Amino acid sequence: MKVGLLGLGTVGGGTAQLLLEKKEHFEELLGAELELTLAADLDASQKESLGLDDRIFTQDASRIVGNPEIDIVVETIGGMKVAKDFMLEALSAGQQVVTANKALLATHGREIHATAKANQTSVAFEAAVGGGIPLIRSIREGLLANRIESCMGILNGTSNFILTRMTQDNAPFEEVLALAQKKGYAEQDPTFDVEGVDAAHKLAIITSLVTGDYPSLEDIHMEGISKITPLDIQFANEFGFTVKLLAIMKNKGQKVQARVHPALVPHDHVLASVDGAFNALHITGDWVGDVLLYGLGAGREATASAVVADVVDLARDLLVKSRGRVPALGLAKSRGEHLELAPMEETSCQYYFRFTAADEPGVLAKVSRILSEHNISIETVIQKGRRSEGSVPIVMMTHEAVEKDVSAALARINALPQITEPIMLMRKA
């Protein structure tokens, strides 16, 4: 079984190293040789450190893509257009493809999987969601006897690291973000991680596996963690919650919800204890009940582990002359069509509000009246002492309410002259 590798960055370099170091182990698993035949990258600086000689290393990707002697093409270059073009060309040429490119699959998954199906090839993408955690295989194969009712997870290690340190150190977002960048957990431009985009890419892939259809990223509600303050984390703790950035999918039959936002997780829920850069996905199936998958969601070793597992899996199929044994989304009769998600305004849950108000009589009464007029009832209220500038924080947990009503009520409350800062909102998981 001959493998061609595109890209020798963090994940690609780890994949090359793993394929070379454990070559004998993979031969024992397969009963056949698994050979890294060619590895391509425009940058030759890592060639020697990875142990790649001139027979393996190339700067010409065309020696791999479309080459009939290469059985499996591994794409780890990232990005969109070039990666997409290489993948489509490889699939059209009958090559099997492994990728860790979540953004590409979330955006162009329908076209990529359709090309694979038309050419009786396969796209394996375990490493695209959850790094080394076997999420894709678990949903697509391990839980296939179930109707998946919900998936709720921490799918971005950077945001989870930041929230963990904010909680433990009572430190502001900007300070902890700088620490995450120093440690290498966050990019210099951390937008994709801290604003929920990365988690939304992964949620789109999970949702497609559960439903058999492809949601548009534009339809997934996204909120990040940059507005969370230590004060919110403290109040959440008083109510009995831990703040996490969650990706949530709820499969309600005719309607499917998919959203990413900061959420209040009860202290006794398993996701509340997932700290640092770790990821976890809590799955509920109609027969299996609750399942938790947990581990490192990123990093050289964990992600390379998932990439190589896909390579071995596809090699096993080829050895028995099988192609497309497991459909891309796990459903042989998958329509592979656009999935229309339930609008965010229909979401129903409990809400956390933090109002910063002038220290005047009657403010709480005005706020409560507006909430009542929009069918929102208050479960608990905490009011702390006056700040130095004369304002007071008022924090509420509501009973279950509808997003549409909440949006309308908060728009009115924000317009009150006594409200001195934009209202902070979080939802209960």
Side-chain angles (χ1 to χ4, degrees):
M1 295 289 105
K2 294 187 176 183
V3 179
L5 177 59
L6 303 173
L8 290 169
T10 301
V11 176
T15 300
Q17 185 179 357
L18 186 53
L19 285 169
L20 293 172
E21 285 187 5
K22 292 199 169 186
K23 193 171 187 297
E24 292 182 1
H25 172 64
F26 299 134
E27 186 172 345
E28 289 177 4
L29 290 172
L30 282 169
E33 186 178 1
L34 189 66
E35 177 187 271
L36 178 59
T37 305
L38 288 169
D41 200 301
L42 293 175
D43 182 2
S45 62
Q46 290 210 69
K47 180 176 74 170
E48 291 185 8
S49 64
L50 293 172
L52 303 175
D53 58 31
D54 290 334
R55 293 173 301 171
I56 296 176
F57 179 80
T58 179
Q59 292 179 303
D60 183 5
S62 67
R63 292 183 60 195
I64 295 173
V65 180
N67 181 346
E69 294 189 1
I70 300 294
D71 301 295
I72 301 168
V73 175
V74 180
E75 181 277 307
T76 60
I77 58 176
M80 286 286 183
K81 187 179 186 319
V82 174
K84 178 186 173 186
D85 290 346
F86 281 153
M87 287 176 65
L88 293 178
E89 183 180 346
L91 292 168
S92 297
Q95 293 171 304
Q96 311 296 304
V97 171
V98 176
T99 183
N101 198 329
K102 54 188 171 288
L104 180 58
L105 289 172
T107 308
H108 299 289
R110 189 184 338 186
E111 180 183 358
I112 290 166
H113 292 316
T115 302
K117 184 176 181 180
N119 292 278
Q120 294 186 309
T121 52
S122 295
V123 182
F125 49 96
E126 185 65 66
V129 183
I133 311 169
L135 293 180
I136 303 301
R137 191 169 282 107
S138 295
I139 295 172
R140 191 168 61 179
E141 298 179 59
L143 299 174
L144 59 79
N146 289 262
R147 177 183 179 275
I148 303 299
E149 297 174 341
S150 69
C151 295
M152 182 169 67
I154 297 165
L155 299 181
N156 183 268
T158 300
S159 290
N160 201 47
F161 172 83
I162 291 171
L163 288 173
T164 298
R165 292 302 293 263
M166 287 179 69
T167 301
Q168 294 174 349
D169 302 341
N170 193 32
F173 170 80
E174 293 79 9
E175 180 182 313
V176 181
L177 172 60
L179 174 64
Q181 290 171 325
K182 183 178 179 180
K183 286 181 171 290
Y185 291 130
E187 303 287 345
Q188 283 308 114
D189 181 359
T191 304
F192 267 41
D193 290 321
V194 301
E195 297 302 341
V197 180
D198 175 77
H201 286 151
K202 297 169 183 175
L203 183 61
I205 294 170
I206 289 171
T207 303
S208 68
L209 289 171
V210 170
T211 65
D213 291 325
Y214 299 89
S216 293
L217 277 173
E218 295 76 15
D219 294 338
I220 296 177
H221 179 83
M222 273 181 256
E223 292 176 33
I225 64 169
S226 58
K227 295 179 182 178
I228 303 292
T229 69
L231 189 62
D232 295 308
I233 291 173
Q234 291 170 25
F235 280 126
N237 183 61
E238 288 191 43
F239 285 129
F241 299 108
T242 301
V243 179
K244 296 292 184 183
L245 181 71
L246 292 188
I248 299 170
M249 189 285 306
K250 293 192 175 180
N251 185 10
K252 297 177 178 286
Q254 296 299 317
K255 291 191 175 182
V256 175
Q257 291 182 0
R259 46 194 165 98
V260 174
H261 53 73
L264 304 180
V265 181
H267 287 329
D268 60 356
H269 193 284
V270 289
L271 290 178
S273 61
V274 177
D275 287 338
F278 281 84
N279 284 195
L281 185 67
H282 182 273
I283 304 169
T284 302
D286 62 346
W287 278 72
V288 74
D290 295 335
V291 174
L292 181 72
L293 300 168
Y294 167 87
L296 282 172
R300 177 186 177 93
E301 290 82 5
T303 310
S305 167
V307 169
V308 173
D310 275 343
V311 170
V312 172
D313 197 40
L314 292 179
R316 281 174 167 154
D317 287 349
L318 291 176
L319 284 171
V320 295
K321 304 188 186 312
S322 172
R323 287 174 174 264
R325 175 181 58 88
V326 180
L329 302 183
L331 288 80
K333 293 184 178 181
S334 169
R335 297 177 303 163
E337 296 178 355
H338 171 69
L339 174 67
E340 186 174 342
L341 297 173
M344 188 62 184
E345 65 181 18
E346 295 180 5
T347 299
S348 178
C349 62
Q350 287 184 264
Y351 289 82
Y352 162 102
F353 304 141
R354 175 171 56 81
F355 308 99
T356 303
D359 189 11
E360 300 175 8
V363 175
L364 183 56
K366 288 182 180 180
V367 169
S368 301
R369 185 176 64 253
I370 293 173
L371 293 174
S372 176
E373 289 171 358
H374 289 274
N375 306 308
I376 302 165
S377 61
I378 302 167
E379 181 183 76
T380 313
V381 178
I382 298 176
Q383 184 170 344
K384 295 291 187 179
R386 179 188 300 183
R387 290 180 174 179
S388 58
E389 67 274 18
S391 60
V392 293
I394 303 169
V395 180
M396 297 179 179
M397 282 296 299
T398 74
H399 290 286
E400 191 160 313
V402 178
E403 184 88 11
K404 181 179 180 180
D405 294 333
V406 169
S407 297
L410 296 192
R412 289 180 59 192
I413 296 170
N414 263 323
L416 294 174
Q418 294 87 356
I419 300 299
T420 59
E421 293 179 10
I423 299 166
M424 182 64 197
L425 172 152
M426 289 190 287
R427 302 166 186 86
K428 182 182 174 184

